[in-house]
Amino acid sequence: MADKPSLRSSLLSFCLFTAALAKKMPYEFIVEQTNTYILPSLPYGYKELEPFIDEATVRVHHLGHHAAYTNKMNAAMQQWERENEIRETDSVVEKSILQILHRLDDVPEKYRSGIRNNGGGYVNHNLYWSVMSPNPNSDDREPINQLGKDMVENFGNFSNFKELFTKEALSLFGSGYVWLSRDINQNGKLVISKTTNQDSPFEDGFLPILVIDIWEHAYYIKHQNRRPKHVSDWWNLVDWSSVEELDKWWKGLNYLFHDEL
Ligand code: MN3
């Protein structure tokens, strides 16, 4: 007679099952302490951002560009870890990529540009995917709750904020990102900033809660050189409840940015 599964093994399978169901948001990966990061899966299907971002763009952006940054960052982290393994007290794997980018000057020069470009590329894309969601009916979306209030305090009203953010996105020269962040040096004040290439806002002590990717790879298949169209389409996809979740998530992680890092 076959044994009945014990309570303990039933519980264990249940936990494994629910853990598999509770999918992590892409931003949650960036605080892991490891030298091998994985490409997060997207919180929506490749087609689901249509009609604002087409399936072909999302596929190549995630499986091509984001995957390449992930692999190259891991290669750089592993090389750094391997070559420094003798210094047990300063192990790379004791810091997350986020902490490393926050203190980029501490990275030995030999690995710095690899980590800046590919580590930045990994983290920036994890954030980018996290704050969009499908909006096939073009519903109006605006921040509410505390973020909505802070936005009024900082920018007067939501449409002023949108206008300022759009202006930054259209005026950025070359490739980069525009961010809305909390400035940890100004008591969490909301700030709009730009970064070029794959630089991250962490170097400036900003905790990003919203980001648009304005590299041409983010829109060229659909819009060719029409960046304004990419920006106006993207506003439809911004998911303000995800932005608020990310904002709350950072509040729980403030300790990561204390000086003793
Ligand atoms: Mn990109």
Side-chain angles (χ1 to χ4, degrees):
M1 189 175 100
D3 285 343
K4 275 188 177 174
S6 67
L7 179 61
R8 180 184 283 229
S9 72
S10 306
L11 269 175
L12 182 66
S13 346
F14 179 73
C15 289
L16 289 172
F17 177 68
T18 49
L21 279 185
K23 240 173 142 184
K24 275 207 268 185
M25 285 300 277
Y27 59 78
E28 293 180 76
F29 289 82
I30 67 183
V31 290
E32 284 180 4
Q33 296 183 335
T34 174
N35 64 359
T36 313
Y37 283 81
I38 62 160
L39 178 69
S41 52
L42 301 185
Y44 32 76
Y46 289 111
K47 269 186 190 172
E48 288 184 288
L49 299 184
E50 298 219 7
F52 304 109
I53 305 181
D54 57 295
E55 181 183 356
T57 297
V58 179
R59 273 188 191 279
V60 73
H61 202 171
H62 182 236
L63 300 172
H65 297 276
H66 193 178
Y69 290 120
T70 309
N71 295 337
K72 288 180 189 166
M73 172 193 72
N74 285 334
M77 299 263 284
Q78 284 155 15
Q79 189 196 359
W80 181 16
E81 175 72 6
R82 202 166 48 237
E83 292 176 1
N84 289 275
E85 61 194 345
I86 205 156
R87 296 172 60 202
E88 286 171 17
T89 53
D90 195 20
S91 169
V92 176
V93 295
E94 286 169 11
K95 291 191 173 99
S96 62
I97 185 64
L98 178 67
Q99 288 167 300
I100 291 169
L101 292 171
H102 180 53
R103 290 292 198 89
L104 206 49
D105 288 345
D106 294 347
V107 177
E109 209 183 335
K110 184 178 174 188
Y111 317 106
R112 198 179 303 144
S113 71
I115 297 277
R116 165 180 259 143
N117 294 332
N118 298 301
Y122 177 74
V123 163
N124 294 345
H125 286 99
N126 280 30
L127 290 159
Y128 173 66
W129 300 124
S130 296
V131 291
M132 294 187 285
S133 71
N135 186 9
N137 300 318
S138 315
D139 294 333
D140 274 341
R141 292 167 159 187
E142 281 192 28
I144 49 168
N145 303 322
Q146 190 57 48
L147 179 61
K149 286 179 203 154
D150 291 352
M151 207 165 261
V152 171
E153 193 178 304
N154 279 260
F155 306 108
N157 57 48
F158 178 63
S159 54
N160 274 353
F161 157 73
K162 221 170 140 176
E163 203 176 302
L164 286 168
F165 192 97
T166 300
K167 212 165 121 189
E168 295 297 317
L170 300 185
S171 65
L172 187 146
F173 184 74
S175 298
Y177 298 82
V178 178
W179 307 86
L180 175 67
S181 305
R182 298 277 185 186
D183 182 353
I184 53 178
N185 299 312
Q186 285 193 78
N187 214 14
K189 186 178 157 49
L190 290 173
V191 287
I192 297 173
S193 70
K194 294 190 266 208
T195 55
T196 54
N197 302 316
Q198 291 297 357
D199 286 355
S200 83
F202 304 112
E203 286 174 68
D204 301 315
F206 293 163
L207 303 183
I209 59 172
L210 174 69
V211 57
I212 181 171
D213 184 337
I214 43 182
W215 282 60
E216 283 186 343
H217 67 228
Y219 61 88
Y220 206 85
I221 296 173
K222 184 175 167 76
H223 294 309
Q224 291 81 48
N225 60 334
R226 296 185 294 274
R227 190 194 285 181
K229 192 71 182 106
H230 166 56
V231 177
S232 62
D233 273 358
W234 171 81
W235 280 117
N236 289 284
L237 298 173
V238 173
D239 185 313
W240 291 103
S241 58
S242 301
V243 174
E244 282 173 23
E245 281 303 310
L246 179 55
D247 195 17
K248 276 188 222 150
W249 184 76
W250 282 126
K251 278 177 191 147
L253 290 173
N254 263 338
Y255 66 91
L256 285 174
F257 294 91
H258 290 167
D259 283 345
E260 69 271 20
L261 266 181

PDB file of all heavy atoms in Angstrom, residues 1 45 55 68 86 98 102 110 114 120 139 169 190 201 204 206 243 251:
ATOM      1  N   MET A   1       0.839  -1.201   0.000  1.00  0.00           N
ATOM      2  CA  MET A   1       0.000   0.000   0.000  1.00  0.00           C
ATOM      3  C   MET A   1       0.883   1.264   0.000  1.00  0.00           C
ATOM      4  O   MET A   1       1.836   1.361   0.766  1.00  0.00           O
ATOM      5  CB  MET A   1      -0.876  -0.016   1.255  1.00  0.00           C
ATOM      6  CG  MET A   1      -1.932   1.044   1.256  1.00  0.00           C
ATOM      7  SD  MET A   1      -2.998   0.839   2.703  1.00  0.00           S
ATOM      8  CE  MET A   1      -2.360   2.052   3.795  1.00  0.00           C
ATOM      9  N   GLY A  45       2.565  39.715 -21.354  1.00  0.00           N
ATOM     10  CA  GLY A  45       3.002  39.027 -22.560  1.00  0.00           C
ATOM     11  C   GLY A  45       3.618  40.005 -23.573  1.00  0.00           C
ATOM     12  O   GLY A  45       3.378  41.216 -23.492  1.00  0.00           O
ATOM     13  N   GLU A  55       4.798  44.099 -30.534  1.00  0.00           N
ATOM     14  CA  GLU A  55       5.360  42.833 -30.059  1.00  0.00           C
ATOM     15  C   GLU A  55       6.825  42.652 -30.473  1.00  0.00           C
ATOM     16  O   GLU A  55       7.668  42.246 -29.661  1.00  0.00           O
ATOM     17  CB  GLU A  55       4.524  41.665 -30.602  1.00  0.00           C
ATOM     18  CG  GLU A  55       5.046  40.330 -30.117  1.00  0.00           C
ATOM     19  CD  GLU A  55       4.294  39.127 -30.698  1.00  0.00           C
ATOM     20  OE1 GLU A  55       3.306  39.330 -31.434  1.00  0.00           O
ATOM     21  OE2 GLU A  55       4.717  38.001 -30.397  1.00  0.00           O
ATOM     22  N   ALA A  68      21.395  40.555 -23.314  1.00  0.00           N
ATOM     23  CA  ALA A  68      22.823  40.775 -23.562  1.00  0.00           C
ATOM     24  C   ALA A  68      23.467  41.547 -22.407  1.00  0.00           C
ATOM     25  O   ALA A  68      24.572  41.214 -21.962  1.00  0.00           O
ATOM     26  CB  ALA A  68      23.025  41.514 -24.876  1.00  0.00           C
ATOM     27  N   ILE A  86      40.951  36.167  -3.480  1.00  0.00           N
ATOM     28  CA  ILE A  86      41.899  36.110  -2.378  1.00  0.00           C
ATOM     29  C   ILE A  86      41.507  37.071  -1.247  1.00  0.00           C
ATOM     30  O   ILE A  86      41.775  36.823  -0.082  1.00  0.00           O
ATOM     31  CB  ILE A  86      43.318  36.389  -2.935  1.00  0.00           C
ATOM     32  CG1 ILE A  86      44.375  35.759  -2.031  1.00  0.00           C
ATOM     33  CG2 ILE A  86      43.588  37.871  -3.155  1.00  0.00           C
ATOM     34  CD1 ILE A  86      45.677  35.485  -2.778  1.00  0.00           C
ATOM     35  N   LEU A  98      22.921  46.851  -7.376  1.00  0.00           N
ATOM     36  CA  LEU A  98      22.441  48.184  -7.012  1.00  0.00           C
ATOM     37  C   LEU A  98      23.448  48.909  -6.116  1.00  0.00           C
ATOM     38  O   LEU A  98      23.783  50.081  -6.329  1.00  0.00           O
ATOM     39  CB  LEU A  98      21.121  47.990  -6.267  1.00  0.00           C
ATOM     40  CG  LEU A  98      20.433  49.206  -5.740  1.00  0.00           C
ATOM     41  CD1 LEU A  98      19.961  50.045  -6.887  1.00  0.00           C
ATOM     42  CD2 LEU A  98      19.264  48.779  -4.876  1.00  0.00           C
ATOM     43  N   HIS A 102      25.788  52.212  -6.971  1.00  0.00           N
ATOM     44  CA  HIS A 102      25.707  53.380  -6.093  1.00  0.00           C
ATOM     45  C   HIS A 102      27.109  53.870  -5.719  1.00  0.00           C
ATOM     46  O   HIS A 102      27.317  55.056  -5.472  1.00  0.00           O
ATOM     47  CB  HIS A 102      24.912  53.000  -4.844  1.00  0.00           C
ATOM     48  CG  HIS A 102      24.734  54.106  -3.848  1.00  0.00           C
ATOM     49  ND1 HIS A 102      24.227  55.329  -4.192  1.00  0.00           N
ATOM     50  CD2 HIS A 102      25.004  54.168  -2.513  1.00  0.00           C
ATOM     51  CE1 HIS A 102      24.183  56.097  -3.111  1.00  0.00           C
ATOM     52  NE2 HIS A 102      24.661  55.425  -2.092  1.00  0.00           N
ATOM     53  N   LYS A 110      39.618  48.456 -13.852  1.00  0.00           N
ATOM     54  CA  LYS A 110      39.608  47.385 -14.849  1.00  0.00           C
ATOM     55  C   LYS A 110      38.184  46.874 -15.156  1.00  0.00           C
ATOM     56  O   LYS A 110      37.883  46.486 -16.275  1.00  0.00           O
ATOM     57  CB  LYS A 110      40.456  46.240 -14.300  1.00  0.00           C
ATOM     58  CG  LYS A 110      40.640  45.079 -15.225  1.00  0.00           C
ATOM     59  CD  LYS A 110      41.546  44.029 -14.594  1.00  0.00           C
ATOM     60  CE  LYS A 110      41.596  42.804 -15.486  1.00  0.00           C
ATOM     61  NZ  LYS A 110      42.303  41.693 -14.831  1.00  0.00           N
ATOM     62  N   GLY A 114      32.716  48.074 -17.709  1.00  0.00           N
ATOM     63  CA  GLY A 114      31.869  46.894 -17.967  1.00  0.00           C
ATOM     64  C   GLY A 114      30.683  46.853 -17.022  1.00  0.00           C
ATOM     65  O   GLY A 114      29.547  46.579 -17.421  1.00  0.00           O
ATOM     66  N   GLY A 120      24.407  48.668 -15.401  1.00  0.00           N
ATOM     67  CA  GLY A 120      23.406  49.728 -15.571  1.00  0.00           C
ATOM     68  C   GLY A 120      22.318  49.273 -16.532  1.00  0.00           C
ATOM     69  O   GLY A 120      21.125  49.463 -16.273  1.00  0.00           O
ATOM     70  N   ASP A 139      -7.202  53.808 -21.364  1.00  0.00           N
ATOM     71  CA  ASP A 139      -7.838  54.452 -20.209  1.00  0.00           C
ATOM     72  C   ASP A 139      -6.929  55.552 -19.672  1.00  0.00           C
ATOM     73  O   ASP A 139      -5.716  55.424 -19.701  1.00  0.00           O
ATOM     74  CB  ASP A 139      -8.072  53.415 -19.089  1.00  0.00           C
ATOM     75  CG  ASP A 139      -9.092  52.363 -19.498  1.00  0.00           C
ATOM     76  OD1 ASP A 139      -9.961  52.680 -20.345  1.00  0.00           O
ATOM     77  OD2 ASP A 139      -9.002  51.228 -18.993  1.00  0.00           O
ATOM     78  N   ALA A 169      12.536  64.147 -21.968  1.00  0.00           N
ATOM     79  CA  ALA A 169      12.652  62.987 -22.860  1.00  0.00           C
ATOM     80  C   ALA A 169      12.936  63.415 -24.300  1.00  0.00           C
ATOM     81  O   ALA A 169      13.667  62.748 -25.031  1.00  0.00           O
ATOM     82  CB  ALA A 169      11.377  62.144 -22.796  1.00  0.00           C
ATOM     83  N   LEU A 190      10.627  64.510  -4.798  1.00  0.00           N
ATOM     84  CA  LEU A 190      10.533  63.974  -6.159  1.00  0.00           C
ATOM     85  C   LEU A 190      11.401  64.797  -7.114  1.00  0.00           C
ATOM     86  O   LEU A 190      11.331  66.023  -7.100  1.00  0.00           O
ATOM     87  CB  LEU A 190       9.086  64.018  -6.651  1.00  0.00           C
ATOM     88  CG  LEU A 190       8.102  63.046  -6.000  1.00  0.00           C
ATOM     89  CD1 LEU A 190       6.684  63.340  -6.484  1.00  0.00           C
ATOM     90  CD2 LEU A 190       8.471  61.592  -6.305  1.00  0.00           C
ATOM     91  N   PRO A 201      20.629  56.102 -12.095  1.00  0.00           N
ATOM     92  CA  PRO A 201      20.405  57.245 -11.187  1.00  0.00           C
ATOM     93  C   PRO A 201      20.950  56.987  -9.781  1.00  0.00           C
ATOM     94  O   PRO A 201      20.973  57.898  -8.964  1.00  0.00           O
ATOM     95  CB  PRO A 201      18.884  57.391 -11.173  1.00  0.00           C
ATOM     96  CG  PRO A 201      18.353  56.076 -11.590  1.00  0.00           C
ATOM     97  CD  PRO A 201      19.389  55.394 -12.415  1.00  0.00           C
ATOM     98  N   ASP A 204      23.727  59.140  -8.232  1.00  0.00           N
ATOM     99  CA  ASP A 204      23.377  60.444  -7.672  1.00  0.00           C
ATOM    100  C   ASP A 204      22.560  60.333  -6.387  1.00  0.00           C
ATOM    101  O   ASP A 204      22.059  61.343  -5.887  1.00  0.00           O
ATOM    102  CB  ASP A 204      22.568  61.248  -8.712  1.00  0.00           C
ATOM    103  CG  ASP A 204      23.355  61.462  -9.999  1.00  0.00           C
ATOM    104  OD1 ASP A 204      24.537  61.815  -9.889  1.00  0.00           O
ATOM    105  OD2 ASP A 204      22.798  61.254 -11.093  1.00  0.00           O
ATOM    106  N   PHE A 206      19.646  58.803  -6.159  1.00  0.00           N
ATOM    107  CA  PHE A 206      18.215  58.859  -6.486  1.00  0.00           C
ATOM    108  C   PHE A 206      17.624  57.445  -6.469  1.00  0.00           C
ATOM    109  O   PHE A 206      18.248  56.512  -6.966  1.00  0.00           O
ATOM    110  CB  PHE A 206      17.995  59.444  -7.885  1.00  0.00           C
ATOM    111  CG  PHE A 206      18.378  60.903  -8.025  1.00  0.00           C
ATOM    112  CD1 PHE A 206      18.570  61.447  -9.290  1.00  0.00           C
ATOM    113  CD2 PHE A 206      18.536  61.724  -6.926  1.00  0.00           C
ATOM    114  CE1 PHE A 206      18.924  62.791  -9.449  1.00  0.00           C
ATOM    115  CE2 PHE A 206      18.884  63.062  -7.065  1.00  0.00           C
ATOM    116  CZ  PHE A 206      19.086  63.596  -8.329  1.00  0.00           C
ATOM    117  N   VAL A 243       3.998  52.025 -10.029  1.00  0.00           N
ATOM    118  CA  VAL A 243       4.938  53.079  -9.618  1.00  0.00           C
ATOM    119  C   VAL A 243       4.843  53.271  -8.105  1.00  0.00           C
ATOM    120  O   VAL A 243       5.853  53.356  -7.401  1.00  0.00           O
ATOM    121  CB  VAL A 243       4.630  54.400 -10.367  1.00  0.00           C
ATOM    122  CG1 VAL A 243       5.490  55.545  -9.845  1.00  0.00           C
ATOM    123  CG2 VAL A 243       4.840  54.229 -11.877  1.00  0.00           C
ATOM    124  N   LYS A 251      11.098  52.504   0.059  1.00  0.00           N
ATOM    125  CA  LYS A 251      11.063  53.004   1.446  1.00  0.00           C
ATOM    126  C   LYS A 251      11.518  51.929   2.416  1.00  0.00           C
ATOM    127  O   LYS A 251      12.155  52.212   3.415  1.00  0.00           O
ATOM    128  CB  LYS A 251       9.660  53.500   1.804  1.00  0.00           C
ATOM    129  CG  LYS A 251       9.456  54.906   1.280  1.00  0.00           C
ATOM    130  CD  LYS A 251       8.065  55.451   1.520  1.00  0.00           C
ATOM    131  CE  LYS A 251       7.887  56.729   0.717  1.00  0.00           C
ATOM    132  NZ  LYS A 251       6.524  56.931   0.239  1.00  0.00           N
TER     133      LYS A 251
END
